Structure formats: C-alpha cells, structure tokens
Amino acid sequence: MPYIQVKDVEMFYEKMGLGEAVIFLHSGYSRGILAFASQILDFQRTYTCYFPDFRGHGRTRCNSLEWSTPQLADDIVEFMDRLNISKAHLIGYSLGANVGLYIAVKNPDRVSTLTTIGTGGFCDPSGADEFEPEWLVQNGQQDIINQMIERHEEAHKGNWQEFLRQSAKDWRLYPQLSEDQLRSIRCPSLFISGEHDQFAGEERLKRLNSLVKGSRYLVVPGGSHRPHMLRESPVFVNDSILEFLASNPIP
C-alpha cells in the first residue's frame, strides 16, 4: 500500500498483477480500490493493475483541499511519469471516466485504450445539490456523511463538509470538453452505461460514440449508474472490457 509524491500530493495507490498497465480511475465519492472491488481478481490475472486515490480523496494527502477534474487528469499523467508507465489502458468510472476523457484529449500518446463507465461525456449538474453537506444534514442522510468521513478522512483531514462542497462544485462544472476535443480522441474507446443510468444511458452514449471515431458503446441491461459493481453485472462488464483490451494490446 505505497505512497508516491506527485507534484504537491502524496498519492496513495495499490498495485497488483503482472502484464500491461491498467489504471483504474475511481468515482467522485469513492476510492481507487473500493470503486473497482469487483474487477480486481479478473484483471490482475492478465494486467498490472493500478488503483490510485485522487487528490482530495481516500488516503491521498495534500495541504490543499481544492481539486478539479482537469487537475486530476494532470495528476494521473504525472503519476504515470513517476512510475515510468509510458502508456496504459485507462478504465474510469463516473468522475474517473471524465478524468480519462481529459487524459485522452490532452495526452493522447499516454493512452492505449480508454474505457468509461457512467459518463455521457458532457457536464450534467443534476443531482449535485443533494450532495451538498447542508442538504445531507437537513435530510437526515447521516449514513452518507459517515461514509464520506470514513473513506476520505486522510484526504480531507476531518473537513468532510469541504470535501462534499468540492465534489458538488466539480460535478456542476465538468467535463468541459467541446465536441471538437472529443472528436480528437483517437485511441480505441469503449463507453459503458447501465440501461437505467440517469447520467449516461444509451442516447448519451450514442452521441459520444458518434464523436469518437472507431469507438464502441455498451449498454448493460437492467444496470444502474454502477453496472460493474457487485449485485449488478460485474461478470458481464469485466468480460466485455477484457475482450476489448485483449483485442487492443499496448503496441
């Protein structure tokens, strides 16, 4: 369970497996290994899997509590530099999916393949208000508050309110990639959504697919925003991604 210095951040990450590098990019209210618990065993058999905690999240440490999606993307590129990973497969979920899009746009030479889960590629602020700390307190959502305190205490230093404000702020602002920027993505790309994902869904994936040349999309029947997780369809999602990666090895 190592730390590595990335700019002004002590980034926590976990690593397992052998083979080509796969970097898993977690969602906004989660941590690296927690967001992809159902992927670990299947992927580590064939790939070297990295599960970093983003700036402002999990066990990663920084004096500043501020962060943004573009900043997280820059951090991951620096993370790759520090670990001598010249090119990797990126698998991102929700916030992490948007981080992956930014890396594919701004650092295309570092991305062998891009897999996104739970993003339509464009900003959608709906729902962010319900994760503001005041809303959670007023509506008796103590379980969510307790989760945020426990999961991210090292990152937010006990200031869970600021963690939630930063998350809601980023949710409302990003991604801010234009259609032309998305069209510039040239790596093999697979876009995944649950059938009932209110933030992605088939129509949004079709739009993203139409912009990214040669990309594919997959809608998971009956799935929600987290179709890759336990109690949903992790085997189906894992097999689909593994097939995609195997057909697009790192050159």
Side-chain angles (χ1 to χ4, degrees), residues 189-192 209 212 214-218 240 243-244 247-248:
S189 301
L190 173 63
F191 306 127
I192 300 175
N209 170 246
V212 179
S215 64
R216 300 160 47 186
Y217 74 90
L218 173 68
S240 299
E243 179 184 1
F244 169 66
S247 64
N248 294 283

Side-chain angles (χ1 to χ4, degrees), residues 37-39 226-234:
S38 296
Q39 283 61 62
R226 51 185 69 85
H228 64 297
M229 289 191 179
L230 189 67
R231 299 184 184 276
E232 293 218 10
S233 303

Side-chain angles (χ1 to χ4, degrees), residues 185-197:
I185 295 175
R186 287 292 178 262
C187 65
S189 301
L190 173 63
F191 306 127
I192 300 175
S193 169
E195 179 184 8
H196 304 298
D197 186 346

Side-chain angles (χ1 to χ4, degrees), residues 25-165:
L25 308 170
H26 65 78
S27 53
Y29 297 93
S30 192
R31 301 178 42 201
I33 206 162
L34 181 61
F36 296 102
S38 296
Q39 283 61 62
I40 294 170
L41 292 178
D42 282 348
F43 282 80
Q44 71 170 352
R45 294 180 182 139
T46 314
Y47 297 97
T48 303
C49 302
Y50 297 87
F51 302 89
D53 286 357
F54 290 145
R55 174 189 297 265
H57 297 75
R59 298 182 66 179
T60 287
R61 304 165 182 157
C62 184
N63 288 331
S64 173
L65 301 185
E66 295 185 8
W67 58 270
S68 69
T69 292
Q71 190 176 20
L72 302 183
D74 290 343
D75 286 346
I76 293 300
V77 173
E78 178 72 13
F79 172 79
M80 294 173 69
D81 289 343
R82 299 282 288 113
L83 291 176
N84 297 313
I85 302 169
S86 59
K87 205 164 192 176
H89 303 283
L90 302 183
I91 301 176
Y93 164 50
S94 196
L95 167 65
N98 295 331
V99 171
L101 289 171
Y102 269 83
I103 298 173
V105 167
K106 299 189 178 291
N107 300 92
D109 58 319
R110 311 304 296 274
V111 185
S112 184
T113 68
L114 172 65
T115 300
T116 70
I117 304 171
T119 185
F122 295 91
C123 184
D124 180 0
S126 58
D129 291 352
E130 296 177 12
F131 281 84
E132 289 282 4
E134 293 79 11
W135 191 96
L136 291 169
V137 170
Q138 291 170 8
N139 289 273
Q141 300 296 314
Q142 192 61 46
D143 286 348
I144 294 176
I145 293 170
N146 290 342
Q147 282 184 350
M148 297 304 101
I149 292 171
E150 188 275 328
R151 289 180 186 176
H152 306 286
E153 188 169 6
E154 285 190 61
H156 61 51
K157 305 175 185 179
N159 190 349
W160 61 269
Q161 298 95 331
E162 184 59 23
F163 167 79
L164 286 165
R165 290 190 186 100

